[in-house]
Amino acid sequence: EAGVAQSPRYKIIEKRQSVAFWCNPISGHATLYWYQQILGQGPKLLIQFQNNGVVDDSQLPKDRFSAERLKGVDSTLKIQPAKLEDSAVYLCASSSRTSGSSYNEQFFGPGTRLTVL
Amino acid sequence: DAKTTQPTSMDCAEGRAANLPCNHSTISGNEYVYWYRQIHSQGPQYIIHGLKNNETNEMASLIITEDRKSSTLILPHATLRDTAVYYCIVRGVQAGTALIFGKGTTLSVSS
């Protein structure tokens, strides 16, 4: 079974530039998550999709971050304009369980390491 | 905020058992304990989860105290490849609930 794919793996930009990350979840997984992981900390949820609808975006800085999941499969996360504090690893995860189950293993991609100069 | 408390770091000799503790004193009756680990430059990986009974799989064992206020993840024979950050997460039963990560425990396995 193919894992969660993310691209690019690394990105270096200057502040105020824009950047986009792409995620392809495991086939058939209805739920997709984007996490931000700052160096030395655990991942923090930015946004969660169920199919192509947003379930939780309460921690997404909406003035500069946006995300979409067209057709309920691939997803893109965009930052515009980037700030120095956005330097982090951006992780995408997906899971298959939708309801009625306590078991909801999330499968993570390798992440995109963003450096903002 | 994370609902768990873990030591910042631990060391273990290769081949010995690694016992990683986690305190979750405010856990509610319908919340599970999950463990994930993150090897350097990779995304987190699911290890095991449990409600109140001890659990074992091919990777590890999870021991949950009777009052459910703490738990221990056991790697029975640690190898160098087990060097990673280990996250203990308390999570509700509702499917699709996102994970709330703390800082985890950095386990260093040495030969």
Side-chain angles (χ1 to χ4, degrees), chain A residues 4-106:
Chain A
V4 176
Q6 290 188 248
S7 66
R9 289 297 312 277
Y10 305 92
K11 189 73 177 180
I12 300 174
I13 62 173
E14 296 191 350
K15 60 183 179 183
R16 291 187 289 273
Q17 286 187 323
S18 62
V19 64
F21 312 126
W22 173 81
C23 173
N24 180 232
I26 293 174
S27 177
H29 280 194
T31 309
L32 185 146
Y33 312 80
W34 283 101
Y35 291 84
Q36 179 193 57
Q37 185 171 25
I38 293 172
L39 186 64
Q41 299 181 18
K44 183 187 80 170
L45 179 72
L46 291 175
I47 189 168
Q48 176 182 345
F49 292 94
Q50 181 75 22
N51 296 309
N52 61 350
V54 175
V55 173
D56 182 359
D57 64 355
S58 59
Q59 299 199 74
L60 187 73
K62 299 180 185 64
D63 57 333
R64 298 184 300 105
F65 287 65
S66 65
E68 61 181 8
R69 190 182 184 198
L70 299 176
K71 300 181 180 179
V73 182
D74 293 5
S75 177
T76 57
L77 176 69
K78 298 179 181 178
I79 307 175
Q80 182 180 4
K83 293 185 175 181
L84 297 177
E85 58 261 37
D86 297 332
S87 293
V89 175
Y90 291 85
L91 294 160
C92 179
S94 68
S95 64
S96 62
R97 304 291 178 172
T98 55
S99 64
S101 172
S102 67
Y103 176 61
N104 192 1
E105 179 181 350
Q106 291 186 25

Side-chain angles (χ1 to χ4, degrees), chain B residues 35-54:
Chain B
W35 284 82
Y36 278 73
R37 74 179 183 183
Q38 187 171 23
I39 296 171
H40 183 63
S41 296
Q42 297 183 20
Q45 174 193 23
Y46 167 84
I47 301 173
I48 198 167
H49 77 288
L51 182 62
K52 55 183 178 181
N53 297 320
N54 298 337

Side-chain angles (χ1 to χ4, degrees), chain B:
Chain B
D1 291 343
K3 299 182 179 180
T4 62
T5 303
Q6 299 178 251
T8 300
S9 62
M10 295 184 65
D11 295 320
C12 181
E14 190 177 22
R16 304 298 291 263
N19 298 285
L20 291 86
C22 178
N23 287 321
H24 32 78
S25 59
T26 62
I27 192 170
S28 62
N30 64 350
E31 289 182 316
Y32 285 70
V33 179
Y34 278 74
W35 284 82
Y36 278 73
R37 74 179 183 183
Q38 187 171 23
I39 296 171
H40 183 63
S41 296
Q42 297 183 20
Q45 174 193 23
Y46 167 84
I47 301 173
I48 198 167
H49 77 288
L51 182 62
K52 55 183 178 181
N53 297 320
N54 298 337
E55 302 287 346
T56 296
N57 63 20
E58 65 278 4
M59 290 183 68
S61 295
L62 174 60
I63 308 299
I64 302 174
T65 59
E66 190 169 348
D67 63 7
R68 303 208 323 121
K69 292 185 177 182
S70 66
S71 60
T72 301
L73 178 74
I74 301 172
L75 307 179
H77 305 286
T79 70
L80 299 179
R81 289 175 294 180
D82 292 322
T83 293
V85 178
Y86 287 78
Y87 297 100
C88 171
I89 299 167
V90 168
R91 186 158 171 266
V93 298
Q94 183 177 3
T97 306
L99 300 168
I100 299 176
F101 290 84
K103 293 188 176 182
T105 297
T106 299
L107 175 67
S108 299
V109 181
S110 57
S111 57

